[in-house]
Amino acid sequence: MKWFLKAATNGHVEAQMYAAQRYYDAHGVERDVVQAFKWYKAAAELGDAGAQFNVGLCYELQLGIPSADMMNADKIANRWFEKSARQGHLAALFRRSPTLKTLITILETEGVNEKPGIDYLFGEGLDPFYHVYE
């Protein structure tokens, strides 16, 4: 992890994503969502679409974000999802789709969430974060 952090500190996007995911998943380090957010955001600011998506998730779920951003977390999340979607990130595109939002509402209202595939598509019970090291 030491060398990944050194590379991440020097602006290496893949190392930043790797460090973020290790902190988020507690692989080889203690789980630290603040550090995960820090490294996701560093990679996102360098233009990585997966990192931008994950920063959006951090804001949406209020994981590791600065307390000053809590009141506007949804708006900030949507900005990051939009940046990621503009680069073609599939999950971000799904999240930005009004049609998908309508579909989710219908499925939840009708209790269809138990059907196979729905959990995978909408991330219920799954880790929603985009990973590069798996």
Side-chain angles (χ1 to χ4, degrees):
M1 184 70 172
K2 173 184 166 184
W3 294 108
F4 282 103
L5 289 176
K6 187 173 180 78
T9 301
N10 287 320
H12 191 275
V13 173
E14 282 120 11
Q16 291 169 340
M17 284 292 286
Y18 184 87
Q21 291 164 1
R22 291 295 172 167
Y23 279 116
Y24 177 77
D25 292 334
H27 284 183
V29 294
E30 270 203 45
R31 185 164 198 241
D32 186 337
V33 293
V34 172
Q35 283 296 310
F37 174 77
K38 169 188 167 181
W39 291 116
Y40 282 137
K41 191 166 184 213
E45 289 172 344
L46 291 175
D48 186 88
Q52 290 169 344
F53 179 77
N54 287 351
V55 169
L57 284 175
C58 286
Y59 276 104
E60 184 178 82
L61 302 171
Q62 297 187 356
L63 290 174
I65 66 173
S67 57
D69 291 345
M70 292 286 191
M71 295 296 291
N72 296 314
D74 288 338
K75 289 179 185 176
I76 298 169
N78 285 331
R79 278 187 249 144
W80 284 107
F81 288 141
E82 184 66 33
K83 286 181 183 191
S84 181
R86 286 185 184 172
Q87 293 192 68
H89 190 276
L90 187 58
L93 288 168
F94 275 124
R95 295 184 84 75
R96 300 297 299 146
S97 167
T99 306
L100 183 65
K101 288 179 184 175
T102 304
L103 178 60
I104 291 170
T105 303
I106 292 167
L107 292 172
E108 287 175 346
T109 303
E110 297 189 13
V112 183
N113 225 16
E114 292 81 32
K115 298 214 179 206
I118 298 298
D119 287 348
Y120 176 78
L121 182 59
F122 301 118
E124 292 296 319
L126 297 174
D127 179 4
F129 283 84
Y130 173 75
H131 293 278
V132 294
Y133 65 84
E134 293 178 336

